[in-house]
Amino acid sequence: MSDPQRSNITRIAQLLGAFDARNTPRRSRDLLQEAGISQATGFGLLRALVAAGWLERVDHGLFCLGARAAGLMFAPIEPRIALGEQPVQVVAVRSTPGGEPAAMLFRDNWRPDLATSVPTQQFAIDHPARIGFANASLSNPWRRALLSSMQYAVSRNADRIEMFDVMTADDDPAQQIGQIERLIQAGIDLLIVSCPNVNSAPLNSRLSELAKAGLPILAVDRRPSDPSCLVSFVTSSDSRIGRTSAIWLVERLKPGARVWMLSGVEGASPAIRRQAAALAVLSSSPNVMVEAVASTDWTAEGGYAAVDRLLEQAGRAPDAVWCDSGLQGLGSIRRFLSQGGTIPVHTGGDLNGMYKLALHHKLPFVAVDYPAAMGARAVEIALDILSGTPVPRRVEVQAPVIMPRGMETPSVRADFWAEMHVRWDLPDDAILSQGPSLSNRKTQSQVGKL
């Protein structure tokens, strides 16, 4: 390595290492001064790091670590959870005294294999890419935001992408298999897939066959049960989402508290991981009892209907409702509002309407936003694969913790305050973790009533 190359690597390392654990934005002049880099050299280096995603410009002269840097930080901490199972069905779970403290349960398991780079020279092409996306569904705002993020990245790379063909399976694995066959017949160079159901043996088998035949496959959001067919998987830590929100409940609730769990789509890998991680925390705490678990299809209507059924069965409201997303949390809150009285403590982020409603009614809640911006990251990884650039086996996009001021607990702290995160100028169905493509939405009047 030449001295100029070594010097640039040292400068980059100094710049990326200048941020604290909370990724507090820093001024460019301070970054350059601490690293001993001249402005003539430093500003060009900062621009290059922003363009590559290692840094993000948050305001004039202010920078923080970008998605690629955050991905390196989060990549190796997803614990192993078997995906070939249905979500746990719970009638009532109460832990025995002496369970592990919630703060201890917040530990992550280091997995070096998730930081492994995958060689991709065999997939390199010498023409503009033809990419197919086999999408699980467009059944809720988050999934539409995921696609919007992908389309934004495609538009930014129009000179490198000849075709980006999307087919949506309406959460039907059999339908997705047929769509994948049509994408292959269209001559795709790479397949991006988001699987409807992790337990679909025919889908898992077909993906394995295609991988063995030489087709590069990249999963985003929802993966198959056997990840060996994938070159890479772009996601965020579902276990962290489930665990963090459950720890917050345990540390906030009084002894004897009753909790209802509202999960997403039955059989979807994120729902399974979040539910398993949350249940491990809740069932190990002597403070709470999990009374019921219900699936909601990640829709407001599903959340409303699930709470309606549980209220009829139980005859009284719980102390807290754990939601793995605000997609169903919005419907849950609306159902409690319809009967009056105190609204239980809630969890669940992602959806702008959830933030609006919870803040308007001063409801205690915590959210861990599942970043729809992973769609754009998946397109970038796809292009890296087709250029022969090594890629991580797993790419994690940062999932920030968000809550109203004054709601922090000993183990769960906010990355952003909900009051600053909510977008009152955008509609209820806006997904705030969509990334740059969110700014393309026209400002609309508020949709729906609080």
Side-chain angles (χ1 to χ4, degrees), residues 272-305:
I272 295 173
R273 285 185 177 276
R274 295 174 197 177
Q275 181 178 307
L279 192 58
V281 174
L282 296 173
S283 62
S284 298
S285 168
N287 290 344
V288 302
M289 179 175 68
V290 177
E291 281 192 339
V293 176
S295 294
T296 63
D297 293 331
W298 279 316
T299 65
E301 296 79 12
Y304 191 103

Side-chain angles (χ1 to χ4, degrees), residues 133 146 150 192-194 218-222 233-234 374-375 378:
F133 177 36
L146 174 75
M150 298 178 80
I192 302 177
V193 64
S194 185
L218 167 68
V220 62
D221 169 43
R222 304 187 195 177
F233 177 35
V234 181
M374 70 177 69

Side-chain angles (χ1 to χ4, degrees), residues 343-407:
I343 306 172
V345 172
H346 272 68
T347 70
D350 303 319
L351 192 66
N352 196 33
M354 173 74 174
Y355 287 108
K356 288 182 180 181
L357 200 61
L359 287 170
H360 181 80
H361 291 279
K362 297 180 172 56
L363 174 66
F365 75 98
V366 71
V368 186
D369 269 6
Y370 189 56
M374 70 177 69
R377 193 76 184 97
V379 173
E380 294 170 355
I381 293 294
L383 291 173
D384 285 344
I385 293 170
L386 293 176
S387 68
T389 303
V391 298
R393 174 71 68 185
R394 180 187 181 96
V395 179
E396 285 206 4
V397 182
Q398 184 178 5
V401 178
I402 302 155
M403 66 184 78
R405 296 181 187 274
M407 298 296 173

Side-chain angles (χ1 to χ4, degrees), residues 311-326:
L311 283 171
E312 184 177 354
Q313 294 168 8
R316 58 175 179 155
D319 300 291
V321 179
W322 177 88
C323 301
D324 68 2
S325 171

